[in-house]
Amino acid sequence: LDISGKTVAVFGMGDQEQYMDNYCDAAGELYDLFEAKGCKMLGMTSAEGYSHLESKAQRGDKFCGLMMDEDNQYDLSEERAKNWVE
């Protein structure tokens, strides 16, 4: 399947307090796979305001897409989603 040149944005849902060492890792793995296939990746977001320790979805001070935590920060999800699509 040739998906090179396609535009892709990744999002993830996780519990950053229970899974502090691997918060939203699957989103980072998806990002890496799509990027390796030549996709144009969009949607980086700030990692500020999260309490995880490590994540494969983090690139420096940013996440490789929208990461949400409905267990611990449900009150921030709607605003994060709105900001992500703007």
Side-chain angles (χ1 to χ4, degrees), residues 38-79:
C39 294
K40 178 182 175 185
M41 304 304 295
L42 302 177
M44 300 286 274
T45 59
S46 174
E48 186 176 330
Y50 293 82
S51 62
H52 68 291
L53 297 175
E54 292 187 36
S55 174
K56 290 181 182 179
Q58 193 164 346
R59 308 292 188 270
D61 63 347
K62 296 200 178 289
F63 283 121
C64 62
L66 175 62
M67 304 305 138
M68 293 190 282
D69 182 345
E70 284 292 299
D71 292 315
N72 304 292
Q73 294 182 331
Y74 59 87
D75 55 323
L76 301 175
S77 293
E78 185 175 349
E79 181 179 349

Side-chain angles (χ1 to χ4, degrees), residues 3 28 32 65 76 81:
I3 58 173
D32 292 342
L76 301 175

